[in-house]
Amino acid sequence: MKRRHAIMLLALMAAGYLAIWGNEPAPPAQAATLPPSTKRVPAKVTTAGAAPATVAALVPRAALMQEPASDAATDPFSTRQPPAPPPPVASKPLPPPPPVAPPLPFQFLGKKLEDGRWEIYLDAAEQTLIAHQGDTLLGRYRVDEIRPPNLQLTYLPLNQPQTLAIGQGEE
């Protein structure tokens, strides 16, 4: 066995000893076993010009233990009331928005240029319509202008213009 191994074995044994028996309390001091007449009393050591040491008076435990603050700001478990809501502001109700035309009920099916005049084929609720410029459709829409790629319609109850995309023309 090499010297290094012997040292490591010795250190391992010392660690095992300390692990098992190292937690025992220390034996009582020798001064306690001597008879009272043979106890040594240390001499007072004072230095020249130094003030004698003073011991602070004991404070009663009740004075050290203060009542906990009952302030809600420092108590994390206190219940807090939410702040009162601000008073309602008296304001005029907003006027209703102006009426808007509904979305177009038409779906573009096709178009045809015949004798220099466009003919547009539209689907409206399973009904096929043929539209020319100036026609009234479903009693609510007027065809104002047919100029590919757009068809200009007017919603008659509100007199609002609307546009339907119909694709490029083949003039």
Side-chain angles (χ1 to χ4, degrees), residues 1-8:
M1 183 173 357
K2 294 184 180 180
R3 181 174 183 199
R4 185 176 75 183
H5 290 147
I7 292 174
M8 288 173 50

Side-chain angles (χ1 to χ4, degrees), residues 27 30 44 52-53 71 96 100 107 115 118 122 129 133 135 139 151 157-158 160 163:
Q30 261 189 347
K44 283 189 177 180
D71 185 34
V100 179
Q107 185 171 1
D115 298 328
W118 283 104
L122 301 171
L129 303 173
Q133 189 166 341
D135 289 352
L151 169 64
L158 298 175
Q160 288 185 346
T163 304

Side-chain angles (χ1 to χ4, degrees), residues 16-110:
Y17 175 81
L18 288 175
I20 295 172
W21 292 288
N23 202 15
E24 291 182 6
Q30 261 189 347
T33 58
L34 293 177
S37 62
T38 61
K39 283 188 180 176
R40 293 184 188 175
V41 178
K44 283 189 177 180
V45 178
T46 57
T47 57
T54 58
V55 176
L58 292 177
V59 180
R61 183 182 176 121
L64 294 175
M65 300 296 290
Q66 299 175 356
E67 287 294 320
S70 62
D71 185 34
T74 58
D75 185 10
F77 300 106
S78 68
T79 57
R80 297 180 186 148
Q81 295 295 329
V89 178
S91 64
K92 275 195 218 175
L94 296 174
V100 179
L104 289 171
F106 308 114
Q107 185 171 1
F108 174 71
L109 297 176

